Amino acid sequence: MSSRYPPVQGPDGPADPRRRLLLELGAGLLSGGLPVHDVEEELRRLGRALAAPDARIAALTTGLFVALDADDATVFEPVGPALRFEQTADILDLVHRLRAGGLDGHRALRDLDSIRRAPARWPAWVADLGMLPVGVGLCLYLQPVLANVVAAAIGSLIVMGLTMTARRLPLLRPLLPVTAGFLVSVVVLGAARASLLDGPLRTIVATLAILLPGGLLVTGLSEIAAGAASAGTARLVSGSVQLALFLTGVVAAVTATGSPPSVLANTEVAKPGWWVICLGLALAVAGVVINVNTPPPAIPWIVAVITVTAAVQVTVAAANGPAVGGLAGAVTAATAATVAHWVRRGSSWQVLYLPAFWIVVPGSFGLLNTAQIEVGNGAQAVLTAVSALFGVSVGTLIGSVISRIPRPALRPRRAGAPE
């Protein structure tokens, strides 16, 4: 192994390139939003493949510390700008190729730099356009009434315009949650006040779902459950602040439209049939695939994982409530993603799991009940919201354990054959 990773002369003497490799890859995975305990586990497994079985890894949301053994100097690497989903997918594939021995460290560093510099697969406006089918698809699932679906489409176009504006004017980005919450709610609540639609809360949540920090909250809870309290708390605080900004915009819209607080009751006007659920799911999945620049080879597998996940979540939630449904959905997503990874031998389980996770969180209805906290629905709303988010968090943690199950051998290996 030492011949593949010769020392590199640094300002303070020879530097082991394996440490630089672990630092760069770990920072990339953290930039992609992966939980810190998953990043630490990936790097420890990679360290064993690089003949550094005693590598010491400590990841935070802002960076990570790496030492190759107890006597090695510890080095800190800060997290860079957030990466797009397809960049994170490419880095995960890079880690798996390194573990399999199909790539040397110097080539991996060059590939990592290329991944960071790579342009998006399609223009930003095309990715933003994916917000429209996400909003419409989730509304078909949450509130399948024509007027509500039309309002969700209009609201999604507003969110799309605000996102494009925030990208061009970064100083306005902190105002995106409260502005989107206010403008979307004004449109939907105005229509409700004019008696054009009923049950506006579900329409508002469907429209804002792609911006809501549900993933951030659930990731934080799963990190705390896994023992990474510092990182988990930081994410929870960040996600809670973002959610508070959204709720502030919604409550401001209630005042601006002269609507009573009761208008934000979690009212289901009509129950979707199976074909409506399938149509809404198809639209939402298509929107997510477009919005996050999903790698084309992974698309069929992602669709399969989401389909299985949604079927289990809808069935379980109908019988046992949103909290148990979210738990079942998260576990199913991780199991299906792991099996797909075994079959395909390509994209890592995280690449196949994350899009399903984004569908599971809005479907858990936790954010629906959270939206009522500000308008006096009290302890019951808090309890329901927290239980739903905890259900998805526990499911995510269980899924992380499932993903570490080694691929079963389909036939006995010959003595000395590589794994």
Side-chain angles (χ1 to χ4, degrees):
M1 184 62 69
S2 59
S3 62
R4 293 181 65 198
Y5 299 93
V8 177
Q9 188 69 25
D12 300 319
D16 194 322
R18 294 175 297 175
R19 185 171 59 194
R20 172 53 48 190
L21 185 60
L22 292 173
L23 285 167
E24 295 283 351
L25 289 172
L29 294 177
L30 290 171
S31 298
L34 265 66
V36 296
H37 56 280
D38 280 348
V39 173
E40 290 175 349
E41 179 64 22
E42 287 287 349
L43 295 184
R44 290 192 187 101
R45 294 166 71 184
L46 179 58
R48 291 193 289 270
L50 300 179
D54 298 323
R56 300 189 171 196
I57 315 292
L60 305 169
T61 56
T62 55
L64 76 159
F65 296 89
V66 172
L68 295 182
D69 54 51
D71 299 322
D72 186 43
T74 302
V75 181
F76 178 76
E77 181 74 17
V79 172
L83 297 180
R84 300 185 304 273
F85 173 71
E86 88 276 10
Q87 290 175 305
T88 306
D90 290 340
I91 293 176
L92 283 166
D93 285 342
L94 192 62
V95 171
H96 283 262
R97 280 192 288 151
L98 273 167
R99 283 218 313 264
L103 198 65
D104 65 60
H106 299 293
R107 173 63 185 277
L109 287 173
R110 291 195 297 271
D111 287 353
L112 179 60
D113 184 63
S114 298
I115 291 170
R116 284 175 168 160
R117 296 173 181 271
R121 284 183 166 82
W122 39 73
W125 68 268
V126 175
D128 291 336
L129 197 60
M131 296 179 179
L132 179 60
V134 170
V136 172
L138 289 178
C139 190
L140 283 171
Y141 175 48
L142 295 175
Q143 202 70 287
V145 179
L146 179 59
N148 296 73
V149 172
V150 171
I154 296 172
S156 296
L157 292 175
I158 293 173
V159 170
M160 174 182 166
L162 291 173
T163 302
M164 296 173 69
T165 302
R167 185 184 301 111
R168 291 185 175 87
L169 302 172
L171 289 176
L172 299 179
R173 193 168 300 158
L175 298 176
L176 179 60
V178 66
T179 305
F182 177 76
L183 293 180
V184 168
S185 299
V186 163
V187 170
V188 178
L189 293 175
R193 190 166 176 79
S195 301
L196 298 177
L197 57 83
D198 296 313
L201 176 62
R202 287 175 170 246
T203 306
I204 293 171
V205 171
T207 306
L208 297 175
I210 200 164
L211 296 180
L212 290 172
L216 193 60
L217 293 170
V218 170
T219 299
L221 288 171
S222 66
E223 285 174 333
I224 291 175
S230 177
T233 302
R235 291 194 205 271
L236 278 179
V237 171
S238 177
S240 298
V241 169
Q242 291 184 41
L243 185 58
L245 290 173
F246 278 109
L247 295 176
T248 299
V250 174
V251 173
V254 171
T255 303
T257 57
S259 303
S262 59
V263 75
L264 292 182
N266 185 3
T267 303
E268 186 177 18
V269 178
K271 288 188 175 295
W274 279 104
W275 72 271
V276 175
I277 292 176
C278 292
L279 176 60
L281 178 64
L283 288 172
V285 171
V288 168
V289 165
I290 294 170
N291 185 251
V292 301
N293 291 269
T294 305
I299 291 176
W301 297 95
I302 287 174
V303 171
V305 171
I306 291 178
T307 300
V308 173
T309 300
V312 171
Q313 183 180 0
V314 169
T315 303
V316 174
N320 300 284
V324 180
L327 170 62
V331 173
T332 302
T335 304
T338 301
V339 172
H341 170 60
W342 290 343
V343 173
R344 184 171 183 263
R345 288 178 173 270
S347 297
S348 65
W349 81 275
Q350 293 101 326
V351 175
L352 304 175
Y353 171 76
L354 286 174
F357 170 76
W358 295 328
I359 298 296
V360 165
V361 173
S364 71
F365 297 155
L367 296 173
L368 286 171
N369 294 281
T370 305
Q372 298 179 86
I373 296 173
E374 292 289 328
V375 293
N377 207 29
Q380 183 61 38
V382 176
L383 179 61
T384 306
V386 171
S387 65
L389 290 175
F390 261 109
V392 180
S393 301
V394 173
T396 301
L397 197 60
I398 295 172
S400 180
V401 174
I402 292 173
S403 70
R404 295 186 177 94
I405 300 174
R407 183 180 187 273
L410 299 181
R411 59 183 178 182
R413 292 188 293 109
R414 300 190 309 274
E419 293 186 3

